[in-house]
Amino acid sequence: QKEVEQNSGPLSVPEGAIASLNCTYSDRGSQSFFWYRQYSGKSPELIMFIYSNGDKEDGRFTAQLNKASQYVSLLIRDSQPSDSATYLCAVDPSEYGNKLVFGAGTILRVKS
Amino acid sequence: GAGVSQSPSNKVTEKGKDVELRCDPISGHTALYWYRQSLGQGLEFLIYFQGNSAPDKSGLPSDRFSAERTGGSVSTLTIQRTQQEDSAVYLCASSAGGGRDAFFGQGTRLTVV
């Protein structure tokens, strides 16, 4: 089992809709969770982080964490074509000396 | 500098040659990562440095790959006897450590011809 799993997509949503991106992780002791966005040909950039169970909102983005079920999700409200990118989930597993472990990423396509 | 700096931005080399890729992390960041990303693929972990601890080399694909980090700052990734399958973007990231978020450099695009 991979440490961090994401559906590779592509996930296609119409402009203005809510995009829901999901990530599951294997280490129950993980403490820190991050979402990165990577545009084609560019480096990943951090867009959200979450440490506690529940929701964390930042503008159109909401990160949701459920440690009991070992999943973290990213919701993008009012999706725009400019949101089209690959979204990477990263987790800090407690057993790996605080080394961030990345999922393979989900491709999101927002169609106008 | 304000961000993670990598050099060169692009490198074209002949098969069989050695190459060195450089990464200058954010000042004060104790953790440094190297990743490889082939076209259209996800991040492939290569190596992780954290402070003075022994590096985690579990992602290095072969003994042709090595990396060092001098003085807890600048890191160099060396690929010996390059092969065409080594062609990829090599990304460096640094972090304040302790599970903090990582910041990426702009990457080095390596092309082996």
Side-chain angles (χ1 to χ4, degrees):
Chain A
Q1 180 186 8
K2 292 183 180 178
E3 295 128 346
V4 180
E5 295 207 44
Q6 297 181 254
N7 187 319
S8 61
L11 172 66
S12 292
V13 300
E15 184 175 357
I18 296 175
S20 178
L21 304 161
N22 299 310
C23 171
T24 59
Y25 58 94
S26 60
D27 184 349
R28 186 171 290 276
S30 298
Q31 298 295 319
S32 310
F33 307 86
F34 307 90
W35 282 100
Y36 286 79
R37 177 177 62 199
Q38 186 176 25
Y39 291 116
S40 180
K42 301 295 185 182
S43 296
E45 57 178 342
L46 180 73
I47 53 173
M48 290 283 291
F49 62 88
I50 186 166
Y51 301 140
S52 305
N53 272 329
D55 295 359
K56 179 181 179 182
E57 187 174 318
D58 183 1
R60 295 186 297 112
F61 298 96
T62 299
Q64 299 176 318
L65 175 60
N66 185 323
K67 290 187 177 181
S69 300
Q70 294 175 242
Y71 82 79
V72 56
S73 61
L74 179 70
L75 302 179
I76 306 175
R77 290 182 299 281
D78 187 24
S79 295
Q80 302 296 309
S82 59
D83 294 326
S84 298
T86 298
Y87 289 80
L88 301 163
C89 171
V91 175
D92 164 34
S94 59
E95 297 179 5
Y96 295 93
N98 298 125
K99 178 185 77 179
L100 286 185
V101 178
F102 282 82
T106 299
I107 297 171
L108 173 66
R109 293 179 181 159
V110 181
K111 298 184 177 181
S112 57
Chain B
V4 179
S5 178
Q6 292 186 246
S7 60
S9 300
N10 285 283
K11 176 71 176 179
V12 179
T13 190
E14 292 181 351
K15 178 181 174 181
K17 299 285 189 181
D18 298 351
V19 295
E20 286 189 351
L21 311 180
R22 177 186 169 102
C23 173
D24 276 286
I26 292 172
S27 178
H29 277 191
T30 58
L32 187 147
Y33 305 76
W34 282 100
Y35 294 91
R36 179 169 71 174
Q37 191 169 37
S38 300
L39 187 63
Q41 302 299 308
L43 294 175
E44 177 187 2
F45 167 75
L46 297 177
I47 190 167
Y48 167 66
F49 296 90
Q50 171 57 58
N52 295 320
S53 302
D56 176 353
K57 304 180 181 180
S58 60
L60 294 178
S62 77
D63 58 8
R64 296 187 295 106
F65 288 72
S66 63
E68 63 177 19
R69 188 178 185 192
T70 54
S73 180
V74 172
S75 178
T76 302
L77 176 69
T78 301
I79 308 173
Q80 296 179 312
R81 305 181 301 282
T82 52
Q83 304 295 311
Q84 288 186 329
E85 60 263 29
D86 298 335
S87 296
V89 175
Y90 289 80
L91 289 164
C92 175
S94 73
S95 165
R100 301 285 296 278
D101 50 298
F103 295 83
F104 285 82
Q106 80 281 12
T108 293
R109 182 176 299 279
L110 175 66
T111 304
V112 182
V113 297

